[in-house]
Each structure stands twice: as structure tokens, then as C-alpha cells.
Amino acid sequence: MSNFISGLLRFRRGPWEMLASILIALGVVMLMQPFAITLYSWSFLITLIGTVMFIIVSHFPE
């Protein structure tokens, strides 16, 4: 866990890509759930943030 946090603080690609992927997956899950309209309302924004974050992070150093 400390390697993950130190990777985030040093702007390394691996941990940031994982965080962006988690946001994308979370947005998709929020989009498909049938219970809470609030989660559904925020799902597009979360997915969009994760996608833009992934595009930016793909330019970080290994």
C-alpha cells in the first residue's frame, strides 16, 4: 500500500492508471445499478473524469 501511495505522490504511471481505471469501472457500475437515481446522475461525470484522467496519466513516466 505504501508503494501505491508513494507512486501517486511521485506521479508514476502505474498507480495513477489504476486509480483512473477504478473511477471508470465505478462510473459504469453506477450507470447500471437500478436503485439510486443520485448514483445514476453522477455516473457519467465519474466515467468522464476517469477517462480524461487515464488519457492524461498515460503520458506520465514509468
Side-chain angles (χ1 to χ4, degrees):
M1 186 66 164
S2 64
N3 288 339
F4 178 75
I5 294 173
S6 69
L8 286 175
L9 294 176
R10 291 185 292 146
F11 292 106
R12 295 296 176 205
R13 183 185 299 176
W16 282 100
E17 278 185 351
M18 183 185 306
L19 185 62
S21 298
I22 289 171
L23 281 177
I24 293 169
L26 180 66
V28 170
V29 168
M30 288 167 61
L31 182 67
M32 293 190 298
Q33 60 83 30
F35 303 113
I37 192 70
T38 306
L39 293 178
Y40 179 79
S41 300
W42 284 94
S43 65
F44 178 74
L45 183 64
I46 298 296
T47 306
L48 183 64
I49 289 170
T51 303
V52 170
M53 186 177 175
F54 192 87
I55 291 170
I56 293 170
V57 165
S58 67
H59 294 84
F60 283 5
E62 290 282 332

